């Protein structure tokens, strides 16, 4: 990004343009815009983790610019934009660290762990994007598939089976409730139902991957 274009565009010009792109496209602490879209940044149409955190922690209008009714607010507290961004960074950081911890090392990787790991990655790419429309979450389909496969593999009636079924059902219900946007009922989307549905999938997959890593490590220790 910095080295290769410089000989063609000129180093000073390229650095200036890169700085402009960073200021406009990456998450800003100003509280005025996300991804250079001030009209939609913190509205219900943006289901990114960053936008939902701002809606919960700041006294801002949550309905879309062209939607009705107006005056929808879902905040539970009112803090500064900089503090909201720090809350987001803390949440994203914790999820990222947990993701790294539950990843199995190369010798313990299997097709099952790869499926879980890649499904989490696809979800985090959308959740951590500055702007994420509801349709972005088509990337949740691999996660639904992997969790459903594990549910079918679990012994019927077991605690694992009930846990996976409960989590999957809750995620599906939250994700499906996004259809209310077509009925001019914007509060569910303002609350971030699509984001919550996908975040539940991330939590389930992290737990599954961590459990699988523990089993593989234990089996490896026994064989050794």
């Amino acid at each position: 990004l910095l080295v290769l274009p410089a000989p063609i565009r000129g180093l000073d010009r390229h650095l200036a343009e890169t700085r402009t792109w960073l200021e406009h496209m990456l998450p800003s602490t100003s509280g005025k815009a996300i991804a250079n879209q001030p009209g939609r940044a913190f509205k219900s149409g943006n289901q990114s983790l960053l936008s939902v955190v701002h809606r919960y922690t700041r006294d801002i209008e949550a309905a879309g610019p062209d939607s009705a009714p107006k005056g929808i607010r879902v905040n539970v507290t009112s803090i500064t934009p900089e503090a909201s961004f720090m809350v987001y960074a803390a949440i994203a950081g914790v999820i990222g660290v947990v993701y790294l911890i539950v990843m199995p090392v190369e010798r313990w990787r299997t097709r099952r762990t790869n499926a879980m790991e890649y499904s989490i990655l696809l979800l985090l790419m959308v959740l951590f994007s500055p702007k994420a429309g509801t349709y972005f979450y088509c990337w949740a389909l691999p996660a639904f598939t992997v969790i459903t496969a594990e549910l079918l593999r679990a012994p019927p009636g077991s605690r694992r089976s009930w846990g996976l079924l409960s989590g999957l059902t809750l995620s599906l219900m939250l994700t499906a409730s996004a259809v209310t946007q077509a009925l001019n009922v914007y509060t569910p989307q303002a609350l971030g139902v699509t984001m919550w549905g996908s975040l539940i999938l991330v939590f389930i997959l992290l737990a599954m991957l961590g459990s699988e890593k523990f089993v593989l490590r234990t089996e490896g220790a026994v064989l050794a």
Side-chain angles (χ1 to χ4, degrees):
L1 288 175
L2 295 176
V3 177
L4 295 181
I8 301 172
R9 305 187 62 80
L11 182 59
D12 291 342
R13 177 185 175 189
H14 179 57
L15 288 176
E17 290 175 346
T18 302
R19 186 180 301 110
T20 300
W21 182 86
L22 289 171
E23 291 173 350
H24 285 275
M25 293 305 297
L26 294 186
S28 171
T29 59
S30 68
K32 296 179 181 179
I34 299 176
N36 206 27
Q37 294 188 351
R40 299 180 181 274
F42 307 109
K43 307 301 183 182
S44 58
N46 189 353
Q47 292 292 299
S48 71
L49 178 62
L50 176 63
S51 183
V52 174
V53 166
H54 274 268
R55 293 202 292 271
Y56 274 95
T57 58
R58 294 174 56 205
D59 186 18
I60 51 178
E61 170 66 58
D66 304 319
S67 61
K70 300 292 185 181
I72 295 177
R73 282 171 166 75
V74 295
N75 60 300
V76 294
T77 186
S78 183
I79 58 179
T80 64
E82 293 85 355
S84 291
F85 181 80
M86 293 305 296
V87 171
Y88 158 76
I91 296 172
V94 169
I95 294 174
V97 169
V98 173
Y99 183 35
L100 291 174
I101 291 173
V102 299
M103 283 183 186
V105 296
E106 183 65 31
R107 65 179 181 275
W108 296 335
R109 294 173 69 93
T110 65
R111 292 181 64 185
R112 286 177 67 188
T113 63
N114 283 345
M116 297 173 193
E117 184 177 322
Y118 299 158
S119 297
I120 296 170
L121 177 61
L122 291 173
L123 284 171
L124 294 185
M125 287 169 62
V126 180
L127 286 166
F128 293 169
S129 296
K131 175 70 170 66
T134 300
Y135 58 94
F136 284 28
Y137 286 93
C138 62
W139 289 107
L141 288 174
F144 279 119
T145 303
V146 170
I147 295 173
T148 301
E150 290 297 314
L151 174 61
L152 295 175
R153 187 180 287 115
S158 65
R159 184 164 58 180
R160 178 180 177 85
S161 175
W162 279 109
L164 291 174
L165 180 60
S166 299
L168 195 62
T169 301
L170 180 59
S171 176
L172 283 168
M173 290 174 61
L174 287 170
T175 304
S177 67
V179 74
T180 57
Q181 186 169 345
L183 308 174
N184 285 334
V185 181
Y186 289 88
T187 301
Q189 282 292 77
L191 289 168
V193 287
T194 308
M195 184 224 62
W196 283 113
S198 292
L199 201 58
I200 288 172
L201 296 179
V202 170
F203 294 152
I204 295 172
L205 287 166
L206 287 173
M208 286 168 44
L209 187 57
S211 175
E212 189 70 12
K213 177 182 177 180
F214 176 79
V215 170
L216 292 169
R217 184 171 61 182
T218 302
E219 291 177 351
V222 171
L223 291 176

